[in-house]
């Protein structure tokens, strides 16, 4: 693996690089200057969990050393911070810090901080520049593609924007401190990328999952590069989700319903893992793929220490109702991205409710 690797994302808002490697935080100031030469100041939005480590200090020191006045703001860890109330607090900090249209907002944290800080960057003064510094495994997915959002009490990501970052700075050293459960959660999106686009990558994950789950950094870096490449390729093809970008929703129709009903009980990737099994089961029912795909998927999810069953506490009718509220539902039809074989999916726009119910029931955890 190269000490640093770079992927390029094509975007209508300006193409940008995803830099993956070690010891990148210390380079933050130079790298920000290279993509925002006229930058006047920065707001660094930091996940509260990261205060136990030196990451924010390193980034702030690097920015200031490069002549970029920087104000740091800390956001409480967890999904609840992806709210209008927290966004309002951040707007106030933007004003208090004197941010202008040439300022930049940086997100240092996982997908929660990226989505929230990105939403604030998309809307403050009708949009200021934004830089992602992901620190979770899951954020390899969340930080690429320009989707930013906050939640409403009625559902996840209901208010948002497309606001691509100017740069994604992925220092894999930060993953050393990531809790094991969050590591597994992030693995779900990598497995998803294998299922929807890259059979060889799926096989590679099967061979390397033990090392990946153990947190081995070389393997993790290699995994991130390929997984980010899948995401970068898809969003470069279809940034605004007119076509193939929808394939990234594999597992997510069910996952979002589980997250809505079992708020706070599942990490995003855990819900996606269950969702991928249920949606694959729908695919089997419709004759799009055979059972062997589920067997292989389950084995890889198990190796990644991810759940695979719908919790019995969740009501199937309530899950269906939540799916109908998902913003991806159109005209009340239930649409799903379904695998045909590992590496290939199709979009089925009108799946019978009875098929979905049967698939959910079939995947309820044995008591
Ligand atoms: N915009 C997108 O395209 C997109 C895609 C996928 C997911 N998402 C969103 O991302 C969010 C989930 O992201 P996530 O899983 O990264 O969750 P998260 O941001 O909540 O981070 C997970 C946990 O890890 C902690 N943490 C972060 N980095 C750490 C580190 N290096 N060391 C120790 N602890 C660390 C955080 O405090 C948090 O408790 C969801 O809100 C989801 O909707 C967005
Ligand atoms: Zn996801």
């Amino acid at each position: 693996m190269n000490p640093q690797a770079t992927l390029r994302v094509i975007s209508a808002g300006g193409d940008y690089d995803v830099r993956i490697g070690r010891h990148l935080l210390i380079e933050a100031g130079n790298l920000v200057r290279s993509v925002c030469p006229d930058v006047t100041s920065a707001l660094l939005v930091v996940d509260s969990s990261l205060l136990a480590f030196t990451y924010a200090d390193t980034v702030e020191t690097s920015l200031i050393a490069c002549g970029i006045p920087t104000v740091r703001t800390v956001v409480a860890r967890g999904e609840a911070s992806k709210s209008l109330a927290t966004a309002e607090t951040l707007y106030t900090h933007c004003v208090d810090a004197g941010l202008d249209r040439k300022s930049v907002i940086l997100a240092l944290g996982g997908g929660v901080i990226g989505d929230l800080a990105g939403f604030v960057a998309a809307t403050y003064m009708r949009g200021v520049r934004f830089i992602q510094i992901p620190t979770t495994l899951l954020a390899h997915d969340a930080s690429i593609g320009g989707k930013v959002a906050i939640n409403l009490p009625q559902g996840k990501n209901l208010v948002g924007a497309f606001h691509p970052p100017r740069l994604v700075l992925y220092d894999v050293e930060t993953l050393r401190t990531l809790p094991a459960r969050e590591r597994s959660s992030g693995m779900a999106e990598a497995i998803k990328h294998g299922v929807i686009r890259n059979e060889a990558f799926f096989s590679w994950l099967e061979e390397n999952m033990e090392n990946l789950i153990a947190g081995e950094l070389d393997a993790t870096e290699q995994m991130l590069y390929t997984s980010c490449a899948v995401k970068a390729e898809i969003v470069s093809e279809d940034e605004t989700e007119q076509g193939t970008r929808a394939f990234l929703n594999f597992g997510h129709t069910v996952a979002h319903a589980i997250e809505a009903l079992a708020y706070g009980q599942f990490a995003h990737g855990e819900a996606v893992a269950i969702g991928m099994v249920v949606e694959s089961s729908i695919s089997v029912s419709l004759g799009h793929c055979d059972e062997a795909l589920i067997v292989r998927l389950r084995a890889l999810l198990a190796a990644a220490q991810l759940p695979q069953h719908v919790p019995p506490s969740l009501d199937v009718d309530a899950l269906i109702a939540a799916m109908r509220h998902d913003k991806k539902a159109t005209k009340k039809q239930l649409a799903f991205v379904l695998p045909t074989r590992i590496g290939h999916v199709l979009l089925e726009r009108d799946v019978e409710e009875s098929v979905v119910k049967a698939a959910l029931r079939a995947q309820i955890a044995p008591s």
Side-chain angles (χ1 to χ4, degrees):
M1 189 75 195
N2 299 330
Q4 286 185 20
T6 303
L7 294 159
R8 187 85 173 154
V9 183
I10 313 298
S11 165
D15 300 352
Y16 56 95
D17 282 344
V18 179
R19 298 182 74 129
I20 304 164
R22 312 224 181 156
H23 311 299
L24 282 170
L25 295 187
I26 205 166
E27 297 291 326
N30 284 326
L31 292 168
V32 170
R33 272 247 176 260
S34 71
V35 291
C36 307
D38 59 347
V39 61
T40 48
S41 60
L43 184 76
L44 177 62
V45 185
V46 184
D47 184 293
S48 62
S49 291
L50 300 184
L51 296 184
F53 315 109
T54 55
Y55 312 137
D57 295 338
T58 306
V59 173
E60 196 175 325
T61 306
S62 175
L63 290 166
I64 290 168
C66 286
I68 306 170
T70 303
V71 169
R72 185 196 302 193
T73 174
V74 177
V75 168
R77 64 183 282 268
E79 185 73 26
S81 284
K82 255 175 72 172
S83 67
L84 211 45
T86 319
E88 188 177 358
T89 306
L90 290 186
Y91 292 134
T92 309
H93 291 171
C94 289
V95 177
D96 291 349
L99 258 62
D100 60 33
R101 304 223 41 213
K102 289 188 172 172
S103 300
V104 63
I105 295 181
L106 301 99
L108 180 68
V112 164
I113 301 300
D115 279 9
L116 169 72
F119 177 76
V120 170
T123 43
Y124 179 68
M125 291 191 169
R126 297 198 187 86
V128 296
R129 290 170 292 190
F130 175 48
I131 290 180
Q132 291 267 22
I133 313 181
T135 65
T136 65
L137 209 56
L138 188 132
H140 84 273
D141 178 24
S143 62
I144 302 172
K147 280 190 185 179
V148 295
I150 54 170
N151 304 327
L152 293 181
Q154 291 88 342
K156 261 177 75 84
N157 301 330
L158 285 180
V159 182
F162 282 99
H163 192 62
R166 294 297 162 128
L167 175 70
V168 180
L169 206 58
Y170 209 151
D171 189 333
V172 297
E173 294 279 347
T174 61
L175 299 173
R176 285 187 195 279
T177 56
L178 194 66
R181 188 175 171 191
E182 299 300 340
R183 186 181 307 284
S184 289
S185 173
M187 217 58 84
E189 303 280 11
I191 293 170
K192 179 192 80 179
H193 289 152
V195 175
I196 65 172
R197 190 52 91 104
N198 191 334
E199 209 262 336
F201 179 49
F202 190 93
S203 302
W204 184 89
L205 288 172
E206 289 175 320
E207 282 156 31
N208 291 278
M209 193 50 78
E210 208 178 317
N211 286 339
L212 291 168
I213 283 302
E216 209 274 296
L217 222 52
D218 281 340
T220 304
E221 209 170 332
Q222 204 176 332
M223 185 279 279
L224 285 172
Y225 183 80
T226 312
S227 201
C228 286
V230 171
K231 175 92 191 235
E233 192 179 280
I234 291 177
V235 301
S236 293
E237 279 167 19
D238 176 25
E239 188 173 30
T240 53
E241 203 169 316
Q242 309 301 312
T244 50
R245 185 166 182 167
F247 293 167
L248 293 166
N249 297 328
F250 172 52
H252 281 64
T253 305
V254 170
H256 286 158
I258 292 173
E259 288 178 290
L261 262 66
Y263 184 78
Q265 287 174 45
F266 290 98
H268 178 67
E270 292 171 345
V272 171
I274 300 167
M276 287 194 287
V277 175
V278 174
E279 295 183 15
S280 299
S281 167
I282 294 171
S283 195
V284 172
S285 306
L286 297 177
H288 293 314
C289 73
D290 52 37
E291 192 74 31
L293 183 143
I294 301 191
V295 173
R296 218 174 144 192
L297 176 61
R298 275 193 188 286
L300 186 52
L301 294 175
Q305 296 171 9
L306 283 162
Q308 302 153 47
H309 292 286
V310 177
S313 56
L314 296 184
D315 179 63
V316 167
D317 290 324
L319 284 168
I320 300 271
M323 283 176 214
R324 293 202 181 283
H325 282 122
D326 195 279
K327 66 185 182 316
K328 290 185 181 84
T330 49
K331 291 193 211 150
K332 300 283 171 204
Q333 292 169 334
L334 287 170
F336 288 93
V337 173
L338 302 175
T340 51
R341 57 194 159 94
I342 301 289
H344 298 267
V345 284
L346 55 75
L347 180 62
E348 187 74 74
R349 290 186 190 280
D350 194 6
V351 180
E352 290 278 331
E353 192 175 293
S354 59
V355 173
V356 183
K357 277 189 183 175
L360 284 165
R361 290 209 175 95
Q363 304 305 331
I364 290 176
S367 47

